[in-house]
Amino acid sequence: MKDILSELEDRRNAARLGGGQRRIDAQHARGKLTARERIELLLDEDSFEEFDMFVAHRCTDFGMEEQRPSGDGVVTGWGTINGRMVYVFSQDFTVFGGSLSETHAQKICKIMDMAVQNGAPVIGINDSGGARIQEGVASLAGYAEVFQRNIMASGVVPQISVIMGPCAGGAVYSPAMTDFIFMVKDTSYMFVTGPDVVKTVTNEVVTAEELGGASTHTKKSSVADGAFENDVEALAEVRRLVDFLPLNNREKAPVRPFFDDPSRIEDSLDTIIPDNPNTPYDMKELIGKVADEGDFYEIQEDFAGNIITGFIRLEGQTVGVVANQPMVLAGCLDIDSSRKAARFVRFCDCFEIPILTLVDVPGFLPGTSQEYGGVIKHGAKLLFAYGEATVPKVTVITRKAYGGAYDVMASKHLRGDFNYAWPTAEIAVMGAKGATEIIHRADLGDAEKIAAHTKDYEDRFANPFVAAEKGFIDEVIQPKSTRRRVARAFASLRNKSLQNPWKKHDNIPL
Ligand code: HXC
């Protein structure tokens, strides 16, 4: 019996060594942690339960039968984050470069199936040379099995991808179908075709970092939702995100203890709106002042800064925030911001997370590049996402809500539950100057008349009361009491029940 026990321990120790000490040292020398070290940092201490530690590949080509390391390049299992269950896979670059074989894929599929059945998120740590070259089509089949599970799990359990090394070729499409992608600066990259193929086909000379590094994907492509300095920071931030999310689409997000008075009055908000309507202010200040303890988890911070998306808590409950940012492009909606916010709204709706919308929007960004880029279809994504969402929706218009953008930003007409406005709100088809120049074109040569018309338009529409008279705004509130009003509104909506008509699925303008 003793011998058998020590054999088990020997086998476990061999499996834990992955591709051996030399390759572990090489991984560390690059500033990267190993697959197991990452899992240890991600999960609560001693909570990890491993599956399939002894699984080995079945390939017999290219002399592969001589090398059959236990685990086959991926560590899989489950554990807890602050006591809540998650499933995890972590690719081991020290074993065949973390490449995906048939059995490696089967290990990932096993925990994904269990995650869906048991209702817990899947966190995938990617560090892989892609398809196991020696296995050919068996490896491609393995990828497709993972893809199919990503699709089926979408909207059922949260899926989070952390890119901590290479992720190239078709392999990128598994993270691409998950809810959030995080990258590590300087040590991770994602691309469909690498720099060498790019050079051959298009003659462009580009480094892996420029083509698919963390900066590229958080600032240019918006493929990734956040970039962190190193593995340790990235994993700590994933833990923080998981704390905001429900485990699955049948449960509510966890309620955290809070020590911040929900009725807290913020006098400074009464003066946050500048006298000049064209002067910007920082919408993040308002978000911080509304949130419990000022805690805001921002998603896609480095992309489309004209809209802000992320999570806060109100009375300990998770709320998704979408807010126009007057400091970037005057807070206009455009292609990028519409796409960014639409995806965020849909995530919240999938997982029953209520949405707070803070509005200061002068309209859609004009111009040929926007029209040629399809701003009509992209803007419609956000409109569609808000309109189909059945979660509690509370909207506060702080200043401008002009034109179609007024409708889009969770207006009453898109089933907003509480639509508040500050007294500084201006709700109109367009700004007073533009409106005057169109409806009083005949007076354009007469500055005095134009000034009088503009003033008249401002008096009529540069306020929230016309909309309030029609019931499109439920109440004009004092800025300083925003946290209290919004917290009470969400509290009253905790048992909201609203269902869309049955359909197979909708046809959102992709
Ligand atoms: C088998 C692989 C491998 C792979 C790396 N290795 N990639 N083994 N299949 N795809 C092995 C190497 O042989 C080496 O083994 C170890 O992993 C580390 O690789 P190095 O090249 O020494 O490391 P590095 O210099 O850091 O380069 C990493 C790399 C490079 C950039 C990822 O290895 C690389 O280009 N690999 C091939 C990538 C690729 O073309 N994959 C297929 C993509 S197509 P030893 O024994 O020396 O440690 C694809 C299609 C998916 O993925 C389709 C889904 C639909």
Side-chain angles (χ1 to χ4, degrees):
M1 178 72 181
K2 240 185 168 174
D3 289 349
I4 299 175
L5 291 180
S6 72
E7 189 193 333
L8 170 63
E9 212 36 50
D10 290 347
R11 280 177 177 262
R12 280 185 173 172
N13 284 336
R16 287 188 191 115
L17 261 188
Q21 196 58 47
R22 183 177 57 82
R23 293 191 182 90
I24 293 176
D25 292 343
Q27 180 87 345
H28 286 159
R30 291 178 171 180
K32 292 162 66 180
L33 297 175
T34 65
R36 286 175 189 280
E37 288 165 344
R38 287 167 175 164
I39 289 179
E40 256 172 53
L41 283 177
L42 176 68
L43 301 179
D44 297 339
E45 208 176 335
D46 290 333
S47 74
F48 181 53
E49 298 274 351
E50 188 164 351
F51 281 118
D52 291 339
M53 187 185 222
F54 303 117
V55 161
H57 69 74
R58 294 187 281 261
C59 178
T60 51
D61 292 319
F62 306 103
M64 287 292 277
E65 63 274 22
E66 306 297 325
Q67 310 170 58
R68 299 183 71 237
S70 292
D72 203 26
V74 63
V75 184
T76 61
W78 65 275
T80 57
I81 291 182
N82 289 324
R84 299 165 71 236
M85 185 158 153
V86 296
Y87 286 83
V88 58
F89 69 85
S90 180
Q91 292 180 313
D92 184 352
F93 192 78
T94 69
V95 177
F96 306 123
S99 58
L100 185 135
S101 67
E102 188 180 13
T103 42
H104 176 129
Q106 282 167 354
K107 285 182 67 172
I108 296 176
C109 291
K110 187 191 267 188
I111 62 122
M112 292 181 78
D113 289 342
M114 296 189 75
V116 170
Q117 272 177 28
N118 298 316
V122 181
I123 301 171
I125 300 175
N126 295 256
D127 188 358
S128 167
R132 176 89 46 89
I133 293 166
Q134 295 89 335
E135 291 206 12
V137 70
S139 157
L140 300 185
Y143 269 119
E145 295 286 343
V146 175
F147 297 160
Q148 181 64 45
R149 281 166 179 79
N150 287 131
I151 297 161
M152 291 298 104
S154 181
V156 179
V157 293
Q159 302 181 79
I160 299 172
S161 300
V162 199
I163 315 298
M164 295 193 143
C167 181
V172 296
Y173 286 110
S174 172
M177 291 189 289
T178 62
D179 299 303
F180 299 105
I181 300 180
F182 297 106
M183 296 183 75
V184 179
K185 291 178 189 165
D186 304 322
T187 51
S188 69
Y189 50 88
M190 301 176 78
F191 35 67
V192 174
T193 48
D196 296 343
V197 178
V198 169
K199 172 142 198 321
T200 312
V201 177
T202 71
N203 235 344
E204 285 171 286
V205 178
V206 64
T207 64
E209 184 62 30
E210 287 163 355
L211 188 62
S215 169
T216 299
H217 286 313
T218 50
K219 294 179 182 160
K220 289 192 180 141
S221 73
S222 83
V223 164
D225 299 285
F228 302 106
E229 293 301 325
N230 51 49
D231 287 12
V232 177
E233 190 192 351
L235 295 165
E237 288 298 317
V238 171
R239 284 178 64 89
R240 212 178 129 223
L241 173 62
V242 168
D243 279 351
F244 280 97
L245 308 181
L247 296 181
N248 58 61
N249 63 349
R250 301 182 304 276
E251 279 182 30
K252 296 257 176 176
V255 182
R256 294 278 151 187
F258 61 99
F259 306 95
D260 194 357
D261 180 4
S263 300
R264 172 166 44 79
I265 295 293
E266 280 290 349
D267 288 320
S268 62
L269 291 180
D270 279 352
T271 50
I272 192 176
I273 301 290
D275 290 338
N276 180 343
N278 296 323
T279 306
Y281 59 93
D282 188 0
M283 189 62 99
K284 283 190 191 169
E285 191 181 329
L286 171 58
I287 297 171
K289 286 184 171 156
V290 167
D292 284 0
E293 282 104 25
D295 186 22
F296 179 46
Y297 192 101
E298 191 165 355
I299 298 290
Q300 298 220 346
E301 183 177 4
D302 295 327
F303 184 76
N306 41 333
I307 210 150
I308 305 166
T309 53
F311 300 105
I312 61 168
R313 290 191 188 87
L314 283 173
E315 298 190 81
Q317 315 236 3
T318 302
V319 171
V321 178
V322 179
N324 307 114
Q325 170 59 290
M327 298 192 43
V328 180
L329 290 175
C332 269
L333 283 177
D334 62 353
I335 293 170
D336 290 346
S337 57
S338 300
R339 276 179 42 229
K340 168 178 164 181
R343 183 158 168 78
F344 183 76
V345 167
R346 294 195 104 213
F347 175 82
C348 292
D349 194 47
C350 282
F351 291 104
E352 282 304 316
I353 296 174
I355 300 167
L356 170 64
T357 305
L358 303 173
V359 183
D360 188 348
V361 63
F364 278 93
L365 186 67
T368 49
S369 73
Q370 289 292 310
E371 296 294 349
Y372 297 170
V375 67
I376 296 172
K377 279 272 171 87
H378 294 293
K381 288 179 178 148
L382 183 55
L383 172 60
F384 200 111
Y386 267 127
E388 74 175 346
T390 55
V391 289
K393 293 185 276 195
V394 175
T395 304
V396 181
I397 301 174
T398 59
R399 188 167 61 175
K400 296 169 194 167
Y402 289 162
Y406 153 76
D407 280 341
V408 169
M409 293 300 295
S411 62
K412 197 72 191 163
H413 327 289
L414 301 181
R415 304 189 295 184
D417 296 297
F418 281 73
N419 290 75
Y420 287 141
W422 285 3
T424 41
E426 304 166 20
I427 304 168
V429 174
M430 59 172 69
K433 190 165 170 290
T436 306
E437 284 170 8
I438 292 172
I439 54 182
H440 298 289
R441 189 163 288 163
D443 294 336
L444 269 182
D446 186 334
E448 230 167 76
K449 272 190 176 167
I450 286 292
H453 290 315
T454 306
K455 166 99 180 42
D456 181 39
Y457 193 89
E458 274 171 4
D459 289 346
R460 280 193 210 197
F461 292 111
N463 63 65
F465 299 106
V466 179
E469 275 171 25
K470 296 185 190 301
F472 302 157
I473 292 296
D474 298 302
E475 174 75 304
V476 180
I477 63 170
Q478 292 182 330
K480 67 180 173 195
S481 62
T482 303
R483 173 172 158 84
R484 183 171 68 85
R485 302 300 291 245
V486 166
R488 278 177 66 85
F490 280 118
S492 78
L493 294 166
R494 282 197 189 125
N495 293 324
K496 178 182 175 185
S497 168
L498 175 64
Q499 272 184 346
N500 293 333
W502 186 91
K503 53 181 99 171
K504 188 170 174 194
H505 58 70
D506 58 39
N507 189 16
I508 189 166
L510 290 174

